[in-house]
Amino acid sequence: MPEATDSLPEATLVKVAANLFRGPEAVGGHLEITTHRLLFKPHAINIQKEPAEINLTDIVEVGKRNTLGLVPNGMYVRTKDGTEYRFVVWGRSNLIKIIQAASKDRIEGKI
């Protein structure tokens, strides 16, 4: 993983299998949460192959959501510019806690 541009090196906190909704397509891949950002890397077999990167300092809200309105395995990440990223993940409560703590620490300059 490339080192961040500031003085603190970037480290991976957790990496999980995830889907990211892009329109009607749930793009399969991996979500990596680091000390600086969230990075979604799609599998090569997807139609939409562009990675998504969310800086921790841009996150204003993280929460639970139900996939298709029923299945309790989704989470959303909302950024300062109003963009909402919708993920399907297992262990969402733990991931939300990790993102919230890392985002707070990043904003405060601890990581």
Side-chain angles (χ1 to χ4, degrees):
M1 173 178 308
E3 189 170 304
T5 56
D6 61 23
S7 61
L8 297 173
E10 183 173 21
T12 299
L13 301 173
V14 66
K15 184 176 180 179
V16 297
N19 291 328
L20 172 60
F21 277 98
R22 289 186 167 154
E25 183 184 5
V27 179
H30 287 92
L31 176 64
E32 186 172 357
I33 303 169
T34 77
T35 52
H36 295 176
R37 61 192 170 150
L38 277 65
L39 181 60
F40 176 77
K41 297 178 184 175
H43 299 304
I45 61 171
N46 292 299
I47 294 169
Q48 299 183 54
K49 296 178 176 64
E50 288 296 313
E53 183 176 333
I54 308 165
N55 289 323
L56 291 177
T57 55
D58 291 336
I59 295 172
V60 294
E61 187 178 2
V62 183
K64 295 178 181 178
R65 61 179 300 281
N66 290 340
T67 303
L68 303 174
L70 300 170
V71 185
N73 65 349
M75 75 173 185
Y76 66 89
V77 176
R78 195 167 294 130
T79 60
K80 290 177 184 177
D81 68 3
T83 303
E84 183 173 289
Y85 297 86
R86 297 174 296 135
F87 295 95
V88 177
V89 293
W90 293 106
R92 67 182 178 176
S93 293
N94 187 48
L95 294 176
I96 289 169
K97 287 178 188 175
I98 292 169
I99 293 167
Q100 289 172 332
S103 182
K104 180 179 181 289
D105 287 350
R106 185 75 178 144
I107 289 168
E108 293 175 355
K110 295 178 183 175
I111 58 174

